[in-house]
Amino acid sequence: MQRNALHDELHFLVYLYFQKSNGEICKEVTSRLGLLPGQPKILEFLGVEDGARPVEIATACDLDRSTVSGLLCRMEDMGLVEKRSCEHDARSFYVFLTERGRDTLRKVKEICLSVDERAMKGLSPEERTFILDGMNKMLDNLS
């Protein structure tokens, strides 16, 4: 890609990187695993916060509640998650990964790491660390 003035603006570079990276990940996840956009994020969240309520999933994954509801129903049909009722409120439930869900999560992470590796090809370990540390600091600054 030819460098231009927009490539000196962080917000534009982050946007471009996200679009390209996300596009590659979605293409592979959809073709290899049959997942819809949003489902990989939910799997990754549940990999860290298994047993979450849908509202927590929606907030953490930056998705609408209605979108999460539909995605979770499809994921339950696929055998990736299971819903368990809340003891204190019959209307509420928690979402847990199944064994199949954990296996699919592992495959999603492999795809993401593969795309990350392609993106960082040719960067030294020091450059990789610098970029990751810098991005984490910038995220902290905006939190």
Side-chain angles (χ1 to χ4, degrees):
M1 178 174 6
Q2 188 173 353
R3 188 177 174 113
N4 62 43
L6 284 173
H7 293 155
D8 291 330
E9 296 183 27
L10 177 65
H11 69 276
F12 188 75
L13 287 173
V14 170
Y15 171 77
L16 281 181
Y17 178 78
F18 171 76
Q19 292 290 46
K20 290 184 181 294
S21 173
N22 193 54
E24 289 294 311
I25 290 168
C26 284
K27 183 170 52 177
E28 286 210 34
V29 164
T30 300
S31 66
R32 286 180 43 196
L33 305 178
L35 297 177
L36 298 173
Q39 289 176 329
K41 280 197 285 191
I42 292 173
L43 288 173
E44 288 186 292
F45 177 72
L46 291 173
V48 175
E49 297 288 333
D50 205 19
R53 293 180 302 127
V55 66
E56 296 166 331
I57 296 169
T59 300
C61 295
D62 196 28
L63 296 168
D64 292 331
R65 286 184 189 178
S66 60
T67 300
V68 168
S69 178
L71 291 173
L72 288 174
C73 285
R74 287 183 186 96
M75 292 171 77
E76 188 175 31
D77 290 344
M78 295 169 72
L80 302 174
V81 299
E82 65 179 2
K83 298 173 185 174
R84 297 182 198 161
S85 297
C86 176
E87 293 177 9
H88 311 299
D89 183 358
R91 296 171 295 163
S92 295
F93 61 89
Y94 295 94
V95 181
F96 292 86
L97 288 175
T98 62
E99 283 303 315
R100 183 174 183 185
R102 279 188 263 291
D103 184 54
T104 302
L105 172 58
R106 182 185 52 74
K107 292 173 184 172
V108 165
K109 287 183 175 187
E110 288 172 2
I111 290 168
C112 292
L113 288 174
S114 172
V115 171
D116 287 351
E117 280 302 314
R118 279 190 283 155
M120 291 197 268
K121 182 180 175 186
L123 296 177
S124 70
E126 294 80 16
E127 288 171 317
R128 290 175 182 223
T129 299
F130 181 79
I131 289 169
L132 294 175
D133 287 349
M135 291 299 295
N136 278 304
K137 286 178 186 173
M138 289 188 291
L139 286 171
D140 287 346
N141 290 341
L142 295 175
S143 294

